[in-house]
Amino acid sequence: TQLLEQSPQFLSIQEGENLTVYCNSSSVFSSLQWYRQEPGEGPVLLVTVVTGGEVKKLKRLTFQFGDARKDSSLHITAAQPGDTGLYLCAGDFWENSGYALNFGKGTSLLVTP
Amino acid sequence: KAGVTQTPRYLIKTRGQQVTLSCSPISGHRSVSWYQQTPGQGLQFLFEYFSETQRNKGNFPGRFSGRQFSNSRSEMNVSTLELGDSALYLCASSLVGSSTDTQYFGPGTRLTVL
């Protein structure tokens, strides 16, 4: 199983600040996904990146896939309390003809007013 | 369209017991995956079913098993529960289970083993 390392593990910032979360692996992924999970709920997909070097924007969130498709970053501009949650990156892998997601351990973000 | 539903939402069991968790996927979705989420290990893949067949299995002991029915609903069973099985069990469904599919997660079942 390919390992995905996320950093930082915890992040506490004030409203209006910018932040970047990193997701790194020694393996190449055909695609990488970012999810956000709020307490008591399952993860919700934010974005899927497929092409090396790809950059996708979702309002104040910017996602980048590394050129070698081994790493990704999530940048949040002017964070708001509503951005609070657990951010997870996941790479897909195929084994025994079945599909699965390999998740990083996540970055827990707290944005205070 | 209704989302992925999981029942029960909370469960308390004692060591040695067994437990069955249920997952109803989004209508039309044929792939169902199960994940275990713990603070220490994060989300770990358990298994994936497609059209009643297990296509993929994660690195978990044989005490963890599952099945999928003809209507795509899925159950997972854990026998001889251990304290370390306490976790949030998440189910995700997608159309066919592929890189181009979106995985939709349910809210999870919180299992506590005493």
Side-chain angles (χ1 to χ4, degrees), chain A residues 90-105:
Chain A
D92 61 348
F93 69 95
W94 287 88
E95 197 169 297
N96 303 321
S97 304
Y99 173 80
L101 289 172
N102 184 26
F103 281 86
K105 291 188 178 181

Side-chain angles (χ1 to χ4, degrees), chain B residues 34-78:
Chain B
W34 289 88
Y35 294 83
Q36 180 196 65
Q37 187 175 27
T38 59
Q41 299 300 317
L43 270 113
Q44 293 185 286
F45 171 72
L46 280 157
F47 25 66
E48 187 248 358
Y49 286 88
F50 178 79
S51 293
E52 302 179 68
T53 300
Q54 185 184 90
R55 291 195 301 188
N56 199 355
K57 190 177 192 302
N59 189 26
F60 277 83
R63 300 184 297 106
F64 291 81
S65 63
R67 59 178 175 169
Q68 186 181 34
F69 302 95
S70 57
N71 61 358
S72 293
R73 190 177 69 85
S74 179
E75 289 181 347
M76 68 162 282
N77 184 78
V78 188

